[in-house]
Amino acid sequence: MRFAKAGRLEQLPAYLFQEIDRLKAELVAKGVDVINLGVGDPDLPTPGHIIRKLQETVEDPSTHQYPSYSGMNDFRISVAAWYERRFGVTLDPLSEVLTLIGSKEGIAHFPLAFINPGDLALIPTPAYPVYHAATLFAGGESYFVPLVREHNFLPDLDAIPSDTARRAKVMFINYPNNPTGATADFGFYESVLAFARQYDLIVCHDAAYSEMAFDGYRPMSFLEIPGAKEVAIEFHSLSKTYNMTGWRLGFAVGNAKLIEGLGQLKSNIDSGAFNAVQWAGIAALEGDQECVRSMQRTYQERRDVLIAGLRRAGLDPMVPKATFYVWCPTPHGFTSSAFTSLLLTECGIVTTPGSGFGAPGEGYIRLALTVGKERIAEAVERVQKLSF
Ligand SMILES: Cc1ncc(COP(=O)(O)O)c(C=O)c1O
């Protein structure tokens, strides 16, 4: 029996992390002591007060029924209050906030709600793969905007041809950025808003790493730019902020029409996030934020150990002010895949080839700070023994 997959699946490259998982499993099976700096999944546990809130609320039978499609009002009110405290941005909890089953879910569904077959989306490259995949699923076309070092890994808006910009309907941006670790400032966001107004674009800002920042740096929300709410939807996640990747809780905020459209689409696909998880999310957003500061200190220490060690090994990594990713140029003569393979086979270290996030990522690898600093120290010692 031959079951041909739908064309939309055939168009996709293999999901990057599935391939990395497979390679890692192969090495582990061979008994190699693998250090996994591949996938961006925090190794730290969810803070205790969040777990206890889940335990308490899961006992309440009212949480066992279908949740509301757009999210519990209490959760959305809590998100709006967090936004006001964190960014000074006022949101109407009912029309400008939507609960998501993780931000990936919302990002992946958004194009189905707003992109028609043939519509164009401006997509950064290298990037989190979901923007392009979701655009393809909606029948849209991706116009890739390169993120390069010379431009601080920010899209060069002036380099986008005006007829392309005119044809485009949506523009994805993501700061703090995965995979480059780059950050964006007020001036950049102002230029994005001006560009979106000029070309009548929807801006989807993926802010999943807004709380994972170091050296006292506080990433901003795109919605802090006066007028941004006219054009933008912003995606957030509790995954990285509170070590809750497995819990699947995120939210979208911004323009009420965009929120409403995404909510309408979702109501035909899923039935909302588990209410007990949303109660735990409220405990996360409203509880003591010392857990967030502690997470930031942990990654900052790990970052410093990794950067110092890679430099001793003769590499010249970018120093991220945010995200738990270190974006590192490959040594002379190595492609991304060649260097990733060398690290894997000679050092037992899993990293991600930059080229896997898009062609301009060629010549870089991404290392995730997802193991303790002793293991990172061990990893860099192994790298220092290499000659390249
Ligand atoms: C840039 C970016 N956006 C969104 C997500 C999705 O996070 P989640 O679905 O857990 O909220 C990730 C996860 O790694 C990410 O790297």
Side-chain angles (χ1 to χ4, degrees):
M1 195 83 87
R2 189 168 132 67
F3 297 113
K5 285 183 186 164
R8 65 180 71 85
L9 284 183
E10 304 292 356
Q11 292 177 74
L12 287 180
Y15 196 64
L16 186 59
F17 303 106
Q18 267 172 10
E19 180 60 10
I20 290 167
D21 273 355
R22 195 186 59 75
L23 288 172
K24 189 192 134 201
E26 254 178 46
L27 282 178
V28 171
K30 282 190 204 148
V32 176
D33 172 26
V34 170
I35 302 179
N36 189 359
L37 308 180
V39 182
D41 193 353
D43 57 316
L44 306 169
T46 306
H49 65 285
I50 302 172
I51 296 175
R52 283 189 290 281
K53 191 67 183 180
L54 177 85
Q55 287 169 332
E56 179 196 313
T57 51
V58 80
E59 298 278 354
D60 174 356
S62 75
T63 64
H64 303 172
Q65 294 181 291
Y66 281 123
S68 137
Y69 289 119
S70 42
M72 270 171 37
N73 286 355
D74 290 284
F75 180 72
R76 291 187 290 157
I77 289 166
S78 180
V79 166
W82 180 80
Y83 239 78
E84 187 80 59
R85 284 195 303 279
R86 173 64 179 85
F87 301 114
V89 170
T90 305
L91 296 168
D92 172 45
L94 301 190
S95 62
E96 295 176 337
V97 181
L98 181 70
T99 303
L100 301 173
I101 309 171
S103 65
K104 181 179 187 179
E105 177 267 297
I107 293 165
H109 281 144
F110 186 79
L112 286 178
F114 286 94
I115 289 188
N116 279 314
D119 281 348
L120 194 63
L122 305 178
I123 295 186
T125 178
Y128 183 55
V130 179
Y131 316 133
H132 172 54
T135 300
L136 277 181
F137 288 169
E141 207 184 298
S142 300
Y143 178 87
F144 290 107
V145 183
L147 305 184
V148 295
R149 187 174 189 168
E150 297 67 44
H151 218 265
N152 300 317
F153 301 104
L154 297 167
D156 181 357
L157 301 176
D158 296 333
I160 300 171
S162 51
D163 55 334
T164 301
R166 227 170 283 120
R167 254 194 72 206
K169 181 156 185 201
V170 174
M171 176 179 194
F172 283 93
I173 53 171
N174 161 226
Y175 292 97
N177 184 258
N178 174 17
T180 67
T183 53
D185 63 11
F186 199 93
F188 169 74
Y189 286 127
E190 267 185 332
S191 65
V192 170
L193 176 58
F195 186 77
R197 280 179 166 153
Q198 182 180 356
Y199 292 108
D200 204 11
L201 290 171
I202 297 167
V203 176
C204 290
H205 183 219
D206 177 355
Y209 295 94
S210 70
E211 306 314 299
M212 197 181 257
F214 320 117
D215 309 320
Y217 170 65
R218 301 272 280 160
M220 58 181 288
S221 158
F222 181 47
L223 299 181
E224 286 178 58
I225 308 296
K229 215 192 269 179
E230 289 163 27
V231 303
I233 183 165
E234 189 160 76
F235 293 93
H236 282 264
S237 173
L238 278 78
S239 289
K240 313 291 158 92
T241 309
Y242 301 103
N243 305 320
M244 292 174 71
T245 47
W247 298 55
R248 311 314 302 135
L249 187 61
F251 52 90
V253 298
N255 183 280
K257 264 190 91 169
L258 300 178
I259 293 289
E260 195 266 330
L262 177 57
Q264 185 188 355
L265 187 275
K266 273 169 58 57
S267 69
N268 286 282
I269 293 180
D270 65 62
S271 298
F274 183 19
N275 280 342
V277 168
Q278 292 188 70
W279 282 118
I282 294 173
L285 294 172
E286 294 183 0
D288 188 350
Q289 299 300 297
E290 175 48 30
C291 59
V292 178
R293 291 187 288 275
S294 160
M295 170 275 288
Q296 292 164 343
R297 285 192 296 272
T298 301
Y299 290 124
Q300 184 174 325
E301 267 181 31
R302 292 178 179 183
R303 176 201 66 177
D304 293 345
V305 173
L306 183 62
I307 297 283
L310 291 176
R311 283 182 177 157
R312 279 197 303 278
L315 295 164
D316 185 22
M318 313 284 137
V319 184
K321 279 198 294 183
T323 78
F324 57 1
Y325 301 117
V326 171
W327 191 236
C328 183
T330 55
H332 188 68
F334 283 88
T335 62
S336 298
S337 312
F339 194 49
T340 308
S341 301
L342 182 78
L343 292 175
L344 196 58
T345 52
E346 299 299 314
C347 309
I349 301 172
V350 181
T351 58
T352 314
S355 52
F357 296 98
E362 180 52 77
Y364 292 88
I365 61 164
R366 191 195 74 174
L367 303 100
L369 302 167
T370 46
V371 299
K373 63 180 182 202
E374 292 74 19
R375 289 292 276 167
I376 291 182
E378 159 74 22
V380 289
E381 257 177 48
R382 294 185 196 175
V383 180
Q384 281 163 40
K385 289 191 186 123
L386 289 177
S387 48
F388 39 74

